[in-house]
Amino acid sequence: MDTCKRCFILSLVFFMVFFEDLGTNVHGFQGEEQIETTVEDFLDHSPHFTTTQGMYDVEEVGDDGDDWQMVQAKGNQFVVNGQPFYVNGFNTYWLMVFAADQSTRGKVSELFQQASSVGLTVCRTWAFNDGQWRALQKSPSVYDEEVFKALDFVVSEAKKYKIRLILSLVNNWDAYGGKAQYVKWGNASGLNLTSDDEFFSHPTLRSYYKSHVKAVLNRVNTFTNITYKNDPTIFAWELMNEPRCTSDPSGDTLQSWIAEMAAYVKSLDAKHMVEIGLEGFYGPSAPARTQFNPNSYATQVGTDFIRNHQALGVDFASVHIYADSWISPTISDAHLEFTKSWMEAHIEDAEKYLGMPVIFSEFGVSRKDPGYNSSYRDTLISTVYKTLLNSTKKGGSGAGSLLWQLFPDGIDYMDDGYAIVLAKSPSTSNLISLHSTRVAIFNSRCSWKCRWGCRKKNSLETFLYHDDL
């Protein structure tokens, strides 16, 4: 069977299988029976296939270990095994720390199982904990082997549930150590550092960071015996979580660091993708675009979305969305308007200037915000998903999003206000699952390679593009 036919069949099977989890409350459909009728009707009217033939051939295609390949950026989209790979994913930063304790390790498996059940395929998490409680890196190049084994477990467990990982390598903020911890280590060694931003400029601190990168990329997983830099479970390396260098608003200091570190990661691992971890603020290189920044301060933090992502070795762009932090904590429609314009601006720039995919790698809303309710959260998530689908159906650079953040039940003490517990949030869970279904269909149908020529094509098109998520 040729590739296009397999794509066709897989798209319809995804259509049926994912809806088993959605129940009967999806707006625009009258439950599972009508959905299955639509799909079967679609198959039966196809000039090439029957439902029986389709199921048989999907089993033939299979999903064995040989299909678990590296995801790559090709133009403004992600691809794997020659197929598109649009992302519906999530953040859970604490996985390594929980895996380091046998009493909480089960929460890692529980989370991956729940994420997989709603079709999420990429998780962003920390591959750092510097000098803190249960630290991975206790001092420069000195590691706690038990914590490293915990990270091994996270990677191996993610693969079991067919979830890929974006591993972030250091924090801009103090949590889990961050650049401040590197400065402390530098001063302890005899340096006279006065600013945390010297993390980006001082050669000793740059060497500390490079040593950590090397240790992680060359790590051999004790569960799988696969070196991290050879493991397709890892979607990409992230240079830093939300880098800022406020001491140099020109952006030159951070640009130099990005250029050096992206090239260094690629020198160790040419197979995996690299992204920076930026929030997406526009800087001096694109004054006309600063109108899209959420506030005037965003222009002064030393980041520069377009310039930063033009550094050699950077494969895709990252953007965060926090209207409640950047504009005002009180919920309003202005937050939704900002979210849409912020996304559309970055998708346009990724297409026009960068020629790469963009992932909106953190977005969410806090229950602590004045005026918050779960309906608003669903509306915000729908806004993000709709904006991405508008890009996807045109073959644009909007390549995916990662919720901040997904939690299993029973760990409320870790919640920063943004946690989504699927079991307690049925409407949100259904929303995520529906978007996963749509993304899975795009990923399997080879829409730009095949022309179905089927009279029932409109049924699927309506499902993919229907405005009411």
Side-chain angles (χ1 to χ4, degrees), residues 71-381:
V71 179
Q72 300 293 334
K74 185 177 182 181
N76 60 3
Q77 294 164 331
F78 297 121
V79 295
V80 62
N81 292 329
Q83 295 290 106
F85 190 84
Y86 290 98
V87 172
N88 193 23
F90 64 102
N91 288 268
T92 308
Y93 67 88
W94 43 256
L95 295 176
M96 179 180 67
V97 169
F98 268 54
D101 187 330
Q102 290 295 332
S103 69
T104 54
R105 176 170 287 192
K107 289 296 182 183
V108 175
S109 305
E110 183 182 334
L111 178 79
F112 284 145
Q113 186 278 323
Q114 292 172 359
S116 178
S117 75
V118 292
L120 297 172
T121 57
V122 174
C123 171
R124 177 171 169 264
T125 193
W126 296 170
F128 61 82
N129 188 12
D130 300 310
Q132 307 292 298
W133 173 74
R134 206 169 280 167
L136 172 63
Q137 188 175 199
K138 297 188 289 186
S139 59
S141 299
V142 177
Y143 292 88
D144 185 323
E145 177 61 17
E146 293 307 307
V147 180
F148 233 143
K149 287 179 180 177
L151 185 58
D152 295 343
F153 175 80
V154 171
V155 175
S156 66
E157 200 70 359
K159 183 180 179 182
K160 288 181 184 178
Y161 291 96
K162 299 299 181 187
I163 291 172
R164 299 175 191 267
L165 300 174
I166 295 176
L167 294 182
S168 189
L169 295 165
V170 73
N171 205 355
N172 180 72
W173 313 108
D174 292 351
Y176 285 62
K179 65 185 181 185
Q181 182 60 59
Y182 279 76
V183 169
K184 290 176 184 176
W185 284 334
N187 283 332
S189 73
L191 302 179
N192 184 25
L193 306 172
T194 59
S195 167
D196 289 348
D197 282 351
E198 291 188 75
F199 169 85
F200 298 112
S201 58
H202 198 284
T204 298
L205 302 193
R206 287 191 180 201
S207 70
Y208 288 170
Y209 175 79
K210 285 182 176 180
S211 294
H212 176 61
V213 169
K214 187 174 183 179
V216 174
L217 271 60
N218 287 329
R219 171 76 176 180
V220 178
N221 192 308
T222 55
F223 289 85
T224 65
N225 204 35
I226 301 173
T227 305
Y228 280 32
K229 66 183 179 183
N230 296 326
D231 193 342
T233 307
I234 296 167
F235 181 86
W237 303 111
E238 179 175 280
L239 298 182
M240 186 180 213
N241 174 50
E242 299 187 335
R244 293 185 183 185
C245 185
T246 55
S247 62
D248 182 8
S250 76
D252 292 345
T253 299
L254 185 57
Q255 183 69 18
S256 172
W257 184 86
I258 291 168
E260 180 176 338
M261 299 312 167
Y264 181 71
V265 173
K266 287 292 189 180
S267 74
L268 297 176
D269 177 5
K271 299 176 183 177
H272 281 103
M273 296 183 291
V274 172
E275 55 105 350
I276 302 168
L278 289 170
E279 295 159 282
F281 302 135
Y282 292 101
S285 77
R289 305 303 278 174
T290 59
Q291 63 177 308
F292 294 105
N293 281 346
N295 52 55
S296 58
Y297 177 69
T299 312
Q300 303 298 315
V301 298
T303 67
D304 197 328
F305 175 75
I306 294 174
R307 181 189 182 196
N308 293 159
H309 283 105
Q310 289 171 332
L312 292 177
V314 176
D315 296 290
F316 66 92
S318 63
V319 179
H320 295 180
I321 312 170
Y322 287 114
D324 58 347
S325 294
W326 299 341
I327 297 176
S328 69
T330 302
I331 297 301
S332 72
D333 287 344
H335 290 191
L336 301 175
E337 294 165 5
F338 166 78
T339 296
K340 188 172 184 290
S341 65
W342 182 245
M343 292 180 69
E344 288 174 345
H346 288 84
I347 290 170
E348 179 183 352
D349 292 333
E351 293 167 0
K352 187 181 295 185
Y353 302 112
L354 302 176
M356 60 174 56
V358 56
I359 286 186
F360 296 89
S361 50
E362 288 189 25
F363 75 99
V365 60
S366 173
R367 287 187 306 280
K368 301 175 183 178
D369 294 338
Y372 170 88
N373 57 66
S374 60
S375 176
Y376 176 82
R377 181 173 70 183
D378 288 351
T379 302
L380 175 68
I381 294 172

Side-chain angles (χ1 to χ4, degrees), residues 41-85:
D41 196 32
F42 190 22
L43 279 167
D44 291 341
H45 283 81
S46 165
H48 302 295
F49 311 114
T50 66
T51 306
T52 303
Q53 179 185 354
M55 292 303 292
Y56 175 84
D57 284 327
V58 168
E59 289 176 3
E60 178 188 24
V61 173
D63 186 19
D64 55 34
D66 292 338
D67 291 334
W68 194 240
Q69 302 294 326
M70 298 277 186
V71 179
Q72 300 293 334
K74 185 177 182 181
N76 60 3
Q77 294 164 331
F78 297 121
V79 295
V80 62
N81 292 329
Q83 295 290 106
F85 190 84

